[in-house]
Amino acid sequence: HHVYHLYVIRVQNRDSVTNSLTRAGVSTSIHYPIPLHLQQCFSSLGYVAGDCPEAERAEQEARTHSREPGLGITALVNRSPRDLPDALRPYLFFDNFEDGLATDPDLVVIATYSDSHADLAIRAMEAGAHVFVEKPLALTAEDAARVTGTARRLGHTSVIEGSGSTS
């Protein structure tokens, strides 16, 4: 069973994306504002700013959206029937994506088989939602271009977890 409690995104224009998500009703926060090598508990290791430039850059670009006040689950969608943990049983559950989209979500998190990411992201954006896609965004460059083109055409935010990409 997957248990996702944080969805971390990394974008170069973190404040702009944060503002866009906030306007869409999606709350975000910075969970780890100080890179690990610069935290007090690791000071005995002798690291200083600049020793881990990629970690420091990631700290400046990362945002987390999580289940907290202001962010709620509208529905769950899974292609196959499953036994849900008790904590998820109160939510609407659908076995097809269109029924889930009919609940009119502001943001759709796509965390399924990689071969369906691009098509689901496009369908969600065309239904009016922003999308958060577990990496990879798509299996081909052509499909990735379709997704980012749709995001630009519709003015939606599409975020790919872990890749540092946004449209």
Side-chain angles (χ1 to χ4, degrees):
H1 295 282
H2 292 288
V3 178
Y4 298 108
H5 75 286
L6 299 177
Y7 294 93
V8 179
I9 60 174
R10 184 173 167 187
V11 293
Q12 291 178 351
N13 55 342
R14 178 173 71 184
D15 293 338
S16 174
V17 171
T18 297
N19 291 336
S20 178
L21 290 171
T22 300
R23 283 191 304 276
V26 178
S27 61
T28 66
S29 60
I30 300 172
H31 276 69
Y32 303 102
I34 300 171
L36 289 176
H37 68 287
L38 298 177
Q39 291 185 13
Q40 181 65 34
C41 61
F42 295 114
S43 63
S44 65
L45 299 176
Y47 288 108
V48 296
D51 284 348
C52 300
E54 185 59 26
E56 292 167 34
R57 189 169 29 260
E59 179 272 322
Q60 292 297 313
E61 298 172 352
R63 286 301 285 181
T64 303
H65 81 82
S66 62
R67 224 175 138 235
E68 57 185 73
L71 179 65
I73 296 173
T74 303
L76 305 168
V77 178
N78 195 349
R79 295 190 262 197
S80 55
R82 29 184 338 118
D83 244 353
L84 294 176
D86 289 340
L88 297 178
R89 289 183 189 198
Y91 300 106
L92 296 173
F93 181 83
F94 301 105
D95 62 6
N96 71 72
F97 196 63
E98 283 68 31
D99 287 346
L101 288 177
T103 66
D104 195 29
D106 293 318
L107 173 72
V108 173
V109 176
I110 299 171
T112 187
Y113 298 105
S114 298
D115 65 346
S116 63
H117 286 184
D119 289 336
L120 293 176
I122 290 169
R123 284 164 47 198
M125 286 186 287
E126 288 176 341
H130 296 278
V131 295
F132 183 93
V133 184
E134 181 181 76
K135 67 180 180 179
L137 173 62
L139 295 181
T140 66
E142 292 81 14
D143 280 347
R146 284 190 315 116
V147 174
T148 57
T150 300
R152 286 187 184 103
R153 178 173 53 84
L154 297 175
H156 287 289
T157 300
S158 63
V159 178
I160 303 90
E161 179 274 324
S163 71
S165 300
T166 186
S167 296

